[in-house]
Structure formats: structure tokens, C-alpha cells
Amino acid sequence: MKAKGLKKDKVNIVTLGCSKNLVDSEVMLTQLKGNGINTTHESVNDDANIVVINTCGFIDNAKQESIDTILRYADAKEEGLIDKVYVTGCLSHRYKDDLEKEIPQVDAFFGTMELPALLKKFKADYKHELVGERITTTSSHYSYLKIAEGCDRPCSFCAIPLMRGGHKSRPIEELVKEASNLAKNGTKELLLIAQDSTYYGLDLYKKRNLADLLRNLSDVEGIDWIRLHYAFPTGFPMDVLDVMAERDNICNYLDIPLQHGSSNMLKLMRRGTTREKTEALLDSMRQRVPDIAIRTTLIAGHPGETEKDFDEMVSFVEKSRFERLGIFTYSHEENTHSYSMKDDIPEEVKQERANRVMQIQEEISLENNQKKIGKTLKVLIDRKESGNFIGRTEYDSPEVDNEVHIDAKENYLRIGDFAQVKITDATEFDLYGEPVSQ
């Protein structure tokens, strides 16, 4: 057991789950440091005596990862390797009472909206003057910008409203201030995130105000790319596409989770739309922004999904030819509407269906990528890895989309810079190229 002395506390924040959780951790990091507390994020040195775990509670795999992480640090505390463990985030919000009983080694559990209470454990105050300021943990050239919290949608399968509450937009002026601060610190790309970005502004401005927000952010000096994530299809504000077409620094990219391609399943999922309406929306998007890359996510194996429903999803994917696509297997979540239905599809069938969709998407992606061979594209260089510089085009978001590989032995590029790259080869999910003089 390590000796206790007069050494000052050091806090390590461990983040699990999505980019929205990462932003919450960055806000926590900013507040703790703003109160003079020595704090790191995902420390590799393992020298902190206090650990704060920001958990995910979205689906079974994420919940298990969160529980395993809590148990690992609880054991470290019992062995005297660390002094205190605090747990926050979605899993903690949703299962606080159960977790307190099952893992008593944890010093305190907090919900998703209890940052001020967590700060009090460090004798720290929530500093309102730091709103709009944020220490980022990603590569400095791109940053996530959370434009709203919570969700008002009634989707049958989703537990997010249970963990994050109702939709709450952030004011435009606050977001512009934060974007300006990020730009001053080197951010060139803003990735706009929310539980539902389509709904932005309805609560504050009594209208869907995403287009106005985009215009204001587009005017921020130093921001070269703005990327929109997590748009809900029902009620999508079409004026967003006009702004996308007008402004060079708004990427021709839209992340719009559609969840299924069968009208029957969309009804069971309480999505408020049909396949026909969805296809009409996609057609309108591509007409208004012909160069748009549409990313979607789907769910395989929701209760009630028949072979016929799945075949409809397959034909939907084949017809829609999404530029980017991911698919999850259904997770049976307590207190959701779907939980009242029997989880009647075996896990192996769910996985087989998901694999079949991804096989189709691989073929579509390969065809789309091969059409880029010979073209010169603007690429943002993210990192250097295995003898290559790795970057992204405006059609790709970090970690989930395609990447561009450039031989580092033959070329020198700076991480965080843009380069004009001529594409020389392509696989299903990667492009290969060489920089050209500008």
C-alpha cells in the first residue's frame, strides 16, 4: 500500500461511451482545473489518486464496459492504489440505487446533471464564467460542440430520455462564444452533436433554428469545417440544406440515424415516419446538395422484426446507397416502450442480419470510393500511424468514417493542416493518395 503523505490530490477522468460523454468530461476537466485542481483525462501515467469515471448506459455492451471499469477501479481502491472513486454519467444516472448497493467501494455516484454536486466533493464551485470555455481532449484541430442536451422523441427502443431528460437547446450566442474560444486554441473543425439536432431551437426560439445556428457558427473566424451529426428525420428543417449549399465551410455531410427501412418497423419503433417519407426526404436532400454524403445508422433485430421486414431494410439500403452506414443489434432496455415487447429474435439472428447489411454496404462503399480515384480532394490530416499520414475528407467524421492514407516516407505533412490529395487507390473503407502542390 502506498504511503499517505502531504502530496496534493491528482484527479484522472476516465470517459466511456459517445462523443456527447466526451464533451461532458471536457467540461468537468475545465471546471476542476479552473478551481486549481490537478486533473488529467485518460492518464497513461496511472499516477492519480482520485478517479472519476464518466459512464455510458446506452446498450448492453456499453453498460458492461462501464461496470467492468468501475469494478477495476473499485479493486484498485481496495488494494490501496488509489484513494477515491467517483462515478458519473448515464449508467450512474439510470442505475444509481442499484450501483450503490452492488459496488459500495465507490465513494459517490452522480447523475448526468449533477456536475455541481460532484465538484463539491473536491471543495470546488461550478464557475459560470467558464461556460463557453473548454479544455479539449481530442486532437486540437477538431472539437465536438454539443448544441443541445436531452431528447423529447418517443422512440420505442431508446433509454436516452431516461438518462438525459427532455430536450434543452443551448443559446446561439453561448455556442458562438465557445466556438470562437475553440478556434483561438487551434480548432479548425467543429463537429456539432446533440441527442437530436433536428429539434434545435424549438424550446428557446419557438422554431427549428438549426439553420440560423449554422450561419452564426460559419461566421466564426478560423473554423474551416462544420459537420452536422445526429439529425432526426421527422421534421428535419430543410433550410439547413440551403445553408450547407451556401457556405463553403459547412461540410456536405449529414449524420441522420434512420434506424430501419420497413414502414412496419418504423411504426413499431415509434419513429413518426414511413419508408416512403424517408426516401422522399433523402431524394430532396440529394437534390438540394448534390454532393452530400449521408451517414445513417440502423438497428437489426428489434422485437417484431420479421424476415419480410428485414428484407425491406435490405432493399432500402440497396436503393438508398448511403455514403456511410453503421448498424447495431437491438438491445432490450428496461423502462423503454420496446421492453414491454418480447425480445423474440435470437442474438445470432440479429448478428447475421447486421452482417448481411454491412456486406451490402461494403460493396456500395467500394463502388463509391473507386469513383474518387483520380480526383483531388481536400484532406484534414489527423495523425501519423504505421508509416502513413492519416486524414479525412469533408465526407468523413473522425473514428466512424473512411480515412485517407498518405505515405509518410515520401511526403511530409503537418498534423492539423489541410492538404490537397490526389486519390490513387481505394478499398471498401479507405482511400490512398498523394499530396499535390497547391
Side-chain angles (χ1 to χ4, degrees):
M1 183 180 290
K2 68 180 179 183
K4 301 284 195 302
L6 296 176
K7 189 177 177 182
K8 290 184 70 175
D9 288 335
K10 183 174 183 180
V11 181
N12 182 32
I13 300 170
V14 177
T15 304
L16 304 166
C18 67
S19 55
K20 296 177 278 290
N21 252 22
L22 179 64
V23 171
D24 291 344
S25 288
E26 290 174 345
V27 170
M28 189 193 313
L29 176 68
T30 305
Q31 287 286 339
L32 286 167
K33 284 200 166 192
N35 277 275
I37 295 163
N38 186 5
T39 311
T40 61
H41 182 262
E42 304 282 2
S43 171
V44 294
N45 297 324
D46 206 24
D47 57 351
N49 66 314
I50 300 174
V51 175
V52 180
I53 307 166
N54 190 1
T55 58
C56 179
F58 183 46
I59 56 176
D60 287 340
N61 289 345
K63 287 189 281 190
Q64 191 58 54
E65 182 187 17
S66 292
I67 290 166
D68 291 345
T69 303
I70 297 168
L71 289 172
R72 187 166 73 250
Y73 282 105
D75 289 345
K77 181 188 171 186
E78 287 206 322
E79 292 168 16
L81 300 175
I82 56 177
D83 298 328
K84 290 181 180 178
V85 181
Y86 297 116
V87 177
T88 185
C90 292
L91 187 85
S92 182
H93 187 100
R94 193 174 175 193
Y95 300 107
K96 185 177 180 180
D97 292 345
D98 293 336
L99 290 167
E100 284 175 340
K101 292 174 189 171
E102 295 295 326
I103 316 178
Q105 301 96 318
V106 171
D107 293 272
F109 290 89
F110 301 91
T112 55
M113 291 161 275
E114 294 186 307
L115 177 57
L118 191 156
L119 291 173
K120 284 183 180 176
K121 291 291 182 181
F122 298 92
K123 295 182 172 56
D125 296 320
Y126 183 87
K127 292 184 177 292
H128 292 277
E129 63 269 25
L130 292 176
V131 173
E133 300 275 351
R134 202 171 89 233
I135 299 168
T136 57
T137 58
T138 57
S139 299
S140 61
H141 57 275
Y142 72 85
S143 301
Y144 293 98
L145 185 66
K146 190 192 284 192
I147 65 172
E149 184 59 274
C151 186
D152 286 351
R153 306 287 185 175
C155 302
S156 65
F157 51 84
C158 187
I160 284 174
L162 301 173
M163 298 179 282
R164 292 283 178 175
H167 180 96
K168 189 175 180 182
S169 304
R170 294 179 62 197
I172 288 176
E173 56 271 21
E174 184 179 301
L175 291 166
V176 168
K177 178 185 175 185
E178 185 168 332
S180 299
N181 289 332
L182 289 168
K184 287 172 188 172
N185 289 319
T187 293
K188 297 178 180 179
E189 178 184 14
L190 290 177
L191 300 106
L192 273 53
I193 57 172
Q195 263 72 42
D196 173 11
S197 57
T198 296
Y199 207 86
Y200 178 80
L202 267 175
D203 52 329
L204 282 182
Y205 307 108
K206 310 309 174 193
K207 65 172 183 173
R208 297 181 193 274
N209 220 25
L210 186 56
D212 281 350
L213 172 63
L214 286 171
R215 285 191 192 94
N216 280 272
L217 292 174
S218 176
D219 290 336
V220 173
E221 188 176 346
I223 298 298
D224 293 282
W225 279 357
I226 298 172
R227 190 180 300 282
L228 185 58
H229 293 78
Y230 312 129
F232 196 93
T234 308
F236 181 81
M238 299 301 284
D239 55 350
V240 164
L241 301 171
D242 298 330
V243 181
M244 189 179 286
E246 289 165 11
R247 302 291 181 109
D248 289 339
N249 64 346
I250 297 177
C251 295
N252 290 338
Y253 176 98
L254 181 66
D255 182 327
I256 182 166
L258 298 172
Q259 312 303 4
H260 216 282
S262 154
S263 291
N264 176 53
M265 290 309 301
L266 290 168
K267 184 176 180 181
L268 281 177
M269 290 177 165
R270 305 172 86 185
R271 295 287 288 173
T273 191
T274 63
R275 173 173 175 169
E276 293 72 26
K277 287 179 180 177
T278 302
E279 288 179 340
L281 176 64
L282 294 173
D283 287 343
S284 294
M285 288 175 170
R286 285 171 168 152
Q287 285 170 17
R288 292 204 192 197
V289 187
D291 193 34
I292 194 170
I294 299 176
R295 173 177 181 79
T296 197
T297 46
L298 303 171
I299 295 174
H302 184 283
E305 183 186 69
T306 64
E307 284 291 344
K308 180 175 181 292
D309 292 320
F310 176 69
D311 288 342
E312 284 189 41
M313 178 156 69
V314 167
S315 70
F316 174 67
V317 170
E318 290 173 334
K319 180 180 178 182
S320 301
R321 296 187 64 80
F322 295 102
E323 284 73 20
R324 310 285 181 257
L325 182 147
I327 185 165
F328 297 94
T329 56
Y330 170 77
S331 178
H332 209 41
E333 297 297 315
E334 305 99 314
N335 300 316
T336 62
H337 181 76
S338 295
Y339 198 70
S340 63
M341 307 167 70
K342 186 178 179 184
D343 188 11
D344 55 356
I345 300 172
E347 286 301 320
E348 60 269 22
V349 174
K350 293 178 186 176
Q351 195 59 57
E352 283 169 11
R353 291 178 179 178
N355 291 345
R356 186 175 162 198
V357 168
M358 284 312 299
Q359 286 172 357
I360 294 164
Q361 182 59 30
E362 281 184 18
E363 294 172 9
I364 294 168
S365 185
L366 179 60
E367 289 174 23
N368 286 339
N369 281 351
Q370 287 181 332
K371 289 175 185 174
K372 293 183 172 69
I373 294 174
K375 293 184 177 180
T376 298
L377 303 174
K378 184 179 180 180
V379 172
L380 180 58
I381 306 303
D382 280 336
R383 65 188 189 280
K384 187 179 179 183
E385 181 180 288
S386 303
N388 286 310
F389 288 106
I390 311 292
R392 290 175 292 111
T393 70
E394 71 171 293
Y395 313 112
D396 299 290
S397 198
E399 299 183 7
V400 294
D401 290 331
N402 293 3
E403 294 181 323
V404 182
H405 298 248
I406 303 150
D407 190 344
K409 298 185 190 74
E410 300 293 326
N411 306 283
Y412 175 72
L413 298 168
R414 289 198 311 182
I415 293 167
D417 278 2
F418 288 96
Q420 292 294 322
V421 178
K422 184 177 181 180
I423 304 305
T424 56
D425 198 6
T427 60
E428 291 89 340
F429 299 117
D430 288 300
L431 300 173
Y432 298 82
E434 52 194 30
V436 296
S437 56
Q438 300 180 36

